[in-house]
Amino acid sequence: MVREGPEDFGSLPIMLPSAHPVAAPDTLGTQPATTPFMPTQRNLAASLRYIAWNFSARTSMIETERLTRRYGQLIAVDALSIRAEPGQVLGLLGPNGAGKSTAMRMIAGFLAPTSGTARVCGHDVQREPLAARRALGYLPEGAPSYGEMTVREFLVFIARMRKLGAEVGRRRFDEVVGWLQLESVLESCIETLSKGLRRRVGLAQAILHDPPVLMLDEPTDGLDPNQKHTVRRLIDAMARERTILISTHLLEEVHALCNRVVILAHGRLQADATPAELEARSRYHGAVSFSAAGSGVSQEMLGRLPQVAAIEVDPLDGRVTVFPKPGARILEPVEQLLREQGLEVSEIQLERGRLDEVFRQITTVQERAP
Amino acid sequence: MSPVNAVMRRELRSFFVTPMAWVFLVIFLVLAGILTFYTGDFYERGQADLQPFFVMHPWLYLILVPAVTMRMWAEEAKGGTLELLLTLPMTLWQAMLGKFFAAWLFIGMALALTFPIWLTVNYLGSPDNGAIFAGYLGSWLMAGSFVAIGACLSALTRSQVVAFVLTAVVCVLLILAGQPQVMDFFSGALPRRLVNALAYLSMLRHFEAIARGVLDLRDLAYFLLSTLGWLIAGVLLLELKRVR
């Protein structure tokens, strides 16, 4: 998201960091970095304004600090601290019952935290609930909507609740309806729609007010593969201009959508990394697998390669997986060996790592050691 | 448009989309007629007023208001739309007021549709139309108290049936609070002063004068304050559910 700074910072002797996520006003670049700071009145006011702007620009779009929720003895969410920076699609991953929905409900303001804080665009959800909710588009789990209303009535209701006003409301309505392809069902009752369409109505509701932050609770849960694909494409398109927090227990979703992943289990944060970093934790990361006729002969040879740690053969299809020693690259030596052996390799692949394996590893460790 | 207004309009529309609103209106009007003409001896009294009509209203509301209010929060909690509604940018008060006004206006509509009985009494004689107007106003205020009770108790549960029964029970207790049967029951267990105070909570006691067409400030204050009190309780209940 491109934010605009205040019109005028005056003559500011502060250089912007080059990796700053927001567009810096041109006037700043013309100042030499070595100008000594003179706190004249004009300067002071300007620098205060600059600091305020800079601070607000650096505020995470979604931020939780030791967010905790108890139900009696049960701790549903345990001291969860996450941040989603502008432009990020943050995946909240975890097995069912890990506390994903509870965390989202607290960020959305539906549940009050037992302790800790959550902020949306810098607005504390407890102290400034309305400002936080205005900045947020939220699709609750299962995309609930009023079944007896038509799609048009429902979206008009949301537009009124969001105080969009007649003109803006109509423009956004047309945009969103066109974009989510809801024209043909505008006059249908929501309860008569298919699950996929209902999910799209839920998405329409969430983005109607063009929020900078979007929070989607299991947006593709219970949909068929085609509907999943459609919804994912829509989310992907929305991600270009928004910060999105998306919860899921589907791993393929992480690859398809997220650029960072937070893994929850038993209400606790277990991992916070990019999908690639997670894959790198996998045993399969950097492994080479291949299918070849009569590969049994070569196994011994492969085992002698200095970089190889282990070899596994799939008992069903005879596919061989060669695991490297830590840090070793084995694709080339393996390929060379196979060529030397004169094996007919029908297919060979360098594995990126298996998310499902990492996921299982991360989320089940806790159960064994409570 | 304010959120209160938006919620109210949505609620009203959802009343009329289902057949429930129409069934309610028909039952209300038929029952009002039957109770007035048969039980209330409208003709035999030989008086040109609507007292027998108004006297029956607490009993009418006892059955019909819970039917209108039971779905108010219980249905949203069950269907998951509560999460949608309460994460929109409005306060719990605005949500509560929107829903309350919708149900209250609906009862008002039902009440207004009893106008033929007013035409009838004007055709038969020359009643005090000021007193009749006061009766209608008082009855509508009393309906507000009933609706507020229903709104509060519907927030307590996810089950519409439970909400209906709870509301009806509380309403019947409040109607009968001043009656001898109830007073006798409590007089053994509670101090005399408390029993007398309980009697002042009776809906019938406060509606009696209104039915005759006398608007006493104390009676109006009773209905307005009890409405407000139950709405506050409802909002607190919703807040408690959020924190609990």
Side-chain angles (χ1 to χ4, degrees):
Chain A
M1 244 187 72
V2 176
R3 284 186 43 139
E4 282 170 28
E7 309 269 307
D8 171 33
F9 289 130
S11 49
L12 261 186
I14 305 166
M15 279 295 278
L16 280 175
S18 57
H20 204 277
V22 300
D26 289 339
T27 50
L28 286 170
T30 59
Q31 295 293 321
T34 49
T35 309
F37 185 79
M38 298 297 289
T40 61
Q41 207 172 3
R42 178 178 155 72
N43 241 340
L44 191 65
S47 42
L48 282 178
R49 222 173 323 139
Y50 170 74
I51 288 165
W53 167 73
N54 201 22
F55 179 75
S56 75
R58 281 169 178 218
T59 305
S60 301
M61 303 305 270
I62 298 178
E63 189 176 13
T64 71
E65 263 171 50
R66 301 194 60 78
L67 193 66
T68 304
R69 172 77 194 195
R70 284 169 198 272
Y71 291 103
Q73 283 297 318
L74 181 85
I75 302 177
V77 174
D78 191 359
L80 180 68
S81 301
I82 56 171
R83 0 175 68 202
E85 311 295 343
Q88 239 173 15
V89 180
L90 179 62
L92 198 56
L93 211 64
N96 288 330
K100 304 186 295 284
S101 290
T102 307
M104 285 194 152
R105 282 175 178 163
M106 284 191 281
I107 295 168
F110 182 61
L111 291 176
T114 310
S115 66
T117 56
R119 279 188 290 275
V120 179
C121 277
H123 303 291
D124 188 303
V125 298
Q126 287 291 95
R127 265 177 263 153
E128 308 166 79
L130 299 190
R133 288 177 199 182
R134 269 191 281 270
L136 181 74
Y138 178 43
L139 177 70
E141 192 176 2
S145 51
Y146 295 103
E148 78 278 3
M149 295 176 101
T150 65
V151 175
R152 180 192 296 280
E153 283 170 352
F154 180 59
L155 292 181
V156 167
F157 167 65
I158 297 293
R160 281 176 184 158
M161 293 298 299
R162 297 278 184 190
K163 292 186 184 165
L164 291 189
E167 199 182 314
V168 178
R170 204 169 303 126
R171 184 170 54 77
R172 283 298 297 167
F173 180 91
D174 290 341
E175 278 172 19
V176 167
V177 164
W179 193 63
L180 289 161
Q181 296 172 349
L182 293 168
E183 295 98 338
S184 57
V185 293
L186 271 181
E187 312 304 333
S188 316
C189 275
I190 293 174
E191 61 196 356
T192 65
L193 300 180
S194 71
K195 249 185 179 176
L197 271 168
R198 253 184 271 175
R199 207 57 58 94
R200 257 146 68 189
V201 172
L203 282 176
Q205 164 273 122
I207 59 170
L208 194 63
H209 58 300
D210 202 7
V213 182
L214 204 54
M215 198 161 66
L216 310 171
D217 197 353
E218 306 203 341
T220 60
D221 187 46
L223 299 183
D224 72 32
N226 297 339
Q227 294 167 331
K228 272 184 193 169
H229 179 72
T230 313
V231 169
R232 263 178 221 156
R233 236 187 38 227
L234 292 170
I235 294 172
D236 209 30
M238 287 190 285
R240 273 169 224 152
E241 45 206 34
R242 293 190 177 84
T243 304
I244 302 184
L245 179 63
I246 175 175
S247 88
T248 180
H249 56 260
L250 304 171
L251 292 153
E252 73 247 38
E253 211 128 84
V254 173
H255 266 304
L257 292 172
C258 307
N259 44 33
R260 232 183 78 226
V261 187
V262 164
I263 298 185
L264 280 185
H266 311 287
R268 245 168 285 165
L269 182 87
Q270 308 290 354
D272 185 346
T274 65
E277 283 166 4
L278 282 181
E279 281 169 346
R281 293 194 196 180
S282 166
R283 203 161 67 93
Y284 286 88
H285 180 67
V288 170
S289 64
F290 64 91
S291 304
S295 58
V297 197
S298 60
Q299 271 188 50
E300 204 180 327
M301 303 288 289
L302 282 168
R304 275 188 220 149
L305 281 174
Q307 301 96 323
V308 170
I311 298 171
E312 275 178 19
V313 182
D314 190 321
L316 285 177
D317 56 6
R319 190 180 175 90
V320 181
T321 307
V322 187
F323 295 96
K325 285 187 174 147
R329 302 168 68 95
I330 57 164
L331 180 61
E332 275 172 27
V334 168
E335 250 178 343
Q336 199 185 344
L337 187 83
L338 292 175
R339 224 177 299 127
E340 282 167 7
Q341 295 279 311
L343 276 177
E344 266 185 56
V345 177
S346 55
E347 189 241 348
I348 184 161
Q349 191 186 356
L350 177 66
E351 301 261 353
R352 300 169 60 192
R354 295 186 185 173
L355 270 184
D356 56 345
E357 187 215 349
V358 178
F359 178 77
R360 226 175 5 252
Q361 194 188 322
I362 290 174
T363 56
T364 52
V365 162
Q366 282 289 316
E367 275 167 60
R368 269 182 255 126
Chain B
M1 189 182 296
S2 82
V4 177
N5 198 348
V7 170
M8 186 185 79
R9 285 170 64 156
R10 200 209 72 75
E11 288 282 314
L12 273 176
R13 178 164 287 195
S14 81
F15 277 142
F16 286 101
V17 166
T18 60
M20 211 197 72
W22 305 103
V23 171
F24 174 93
L25 282 178
V26 169
I27 292 179
F28 182 87
L29 295 175
V30 168
L31 269 184
I34 289 176
L35 289 176
T36 307
F37 287 104
Y38 291 93
T39 322
D41 292 337
F42 181 70
Y43 290 124
E44 285 79 355
R45 289 171 76 246
Q47 287 178 30
D49 63 13
L50 283 181
Q51 200 189 339
F53 168 67
F54 287 122
V55 163
M56 292 303 162
H57 281 193
W59 306 100
L60 266 178
Y61 293 147
L62 173 63
I63 305 300
L64 295 171
V65 169
V68 174
T69 58
M70 64 180 185
R71 43 171 293 289
M72 198 178 272
W73 294 105
E75 192 183 38
E76 300 234 19
K78 189 146 198 166
T81 48
L82 193 63
E83 192 172 347
L84 180 83
L85 187 73
L86 295 187
T87 51
L88 288 169
M90 67 170 165
T91 62
L92 284 177
W93 260 111
Q94 287 170 321
M96 181 56 104
L97 282 181
K99 280 172 172 282
F100 167 76
F101 281 132
W104 197 28
L105 271 185
F106 178 70
I107 305 283
M109 266 178 236
L111 201 58
L113 284 176
T114 59
F115 71 93
I117 208 161
W118 171 71
L119 293 180
T120 307
V121 81
N122 268 285
Y123 172 77
L124 291 172
S126 47
D128 178 355
N129 280 324
I132 290 177
F133 178 75
Y136 268 112
L137 190 70
S139 174
W140 193 47
L141 280 178
M142 179 174 65
S145 298
F146 278 88
V147 170
I149 293 170
C152 172
L153 295 175
S154 178
L156 195 66
T157 168
R158 296 160 74 91
S159 155
Q160 298 194 31
V161 178
V162 172
F164 181 96
V165 173
L166 276 179
T167 308
V169 166
V170 171
C171 288
V172 84
L173 284 179
L174 278 178
I175 288 175
L176 292 177
Q179 302 299 298
Q181 305 94 311
V182 181
M183 302 310 288
D184 289 347
F185 178 78
F186 281 114
S187 60
L190 296 174
R192 212 182 144 69
R193 274 167 181 271
L194 206 60
V195 175
N196 283 340
L198 264 182
Y200 273 102
L201 286 180
S202 165
M203 289 257 187
L204 277 190
R205 186 186 181 116
H206 290 279
F207 190 64
E208 219 172 25
I210 290 177
R212 278 185 277 114
V214 183
L215 284 186
D216 188 320
L217 200 61
R218 279 170 300 180
D219 297 333
L220 297 186
Y222 166 80
F223 287 123
L224 286 176
L225 284 178
S226 70
T227 303
L228 196 66
W230 283 101
L231 287 180
I232 290 172
V235 170
L236 288 178
L237 217 61
L238 287 172
E239 179 61 32
L240 201 70
K241 271 182 143 180
R242 215 172 74 82
V243 176
R244 174 202 52 130

